[in-house]
Amino acid sequence: MRFIIDVLLTGLAVFFAAMILPDSAVTVEGFGWAILAGLIISVVNATIGTVLRIFTFPLNLLTLGLISFIITVLMVQLTSYFMGSKFDVANFWWAAVFAIIVALIQMLLDRIFGSKVKG
């Protein structure tokens, strides 16, 4: 049940972030597509992103986590590529701004709806 709530909250964060940014930067066709985009970003980040983070671990330590952030931005762009016009991010820099805004909105939503269940 918590997984479904987390997916819905991530979709809400994606939807709000797309509303905050200009239409030329990030577009989402609707809330349903935002939920799907949030789910795909989560899955891609958990699979491909994890593998990339393992391979870049020494470099990630040297850059104090910057490489991990870059990988997250690339996963947002990969999701944009997969979803076509339903979820579209203009370029790397807008994807970086989008990732920051989504993270901030998720922190706010976690405060409102409670933190994730541990254990």
Side-chain angles (χ1 to χ4, degrees):
M1 184 65 175
R2 185 64 197 182
F3 174 74
I4 294 170
I5 293 171
D6 285 342
V7 167
L8 291 174
L9 291 178
T10 300
L12 191 62
V14 167
F15 188 72
F16 284 152
M19 286 178 35
I20 291 170
L21 294 172
D23 285 339
S24 60
V26 177
T27 57
V28 177
E29 289 294 317
F31 184 65
W33 291 107
I35 291 172
L36 183 61
L39 179 64
I40 293 173
I41 289 170
S42 298
V43 169
V44 168
N45 216 0
T47 55
I48 298 170
T50 300
V51 171
L52 289 174
R53 282 181 187 85
I54 289 169
F55 285 128
T56 60
F57 180 70
L59 189 57
N60 203 12
L61 281 176
L62 289 173
T63 61
L64 302 175
L66 181 63
I67 297 299
S68 185
F69 175 70
I70 291 171
I71 290 171
T72 300
V73 172
L74 292 174
M75 297 304 105
V76 169
Q77 285 190 299
L78 186 62
T79 301
S80 173
Y81 175 77
F82 285 150
M83 292 189 65
S85 65
K86 302 299 181 190
F87 171 73
D88 187 42
V89 179
N91 57 39
F92 178 85
W93 300 110
W94 283 118
V97 172
F98 176 79
I100 292 169
I101 292 173
V102 166
L104 292 173
I105 292 172
Q106 282 182 318
M107 285 179 7
L108 179 67
L109 291 174
D110 281 345
R111 286 272 187 188
I112 293 170
F113 294 106
S115 61
K116 294 184 177 27
V117 177
K118 293 180 174 68

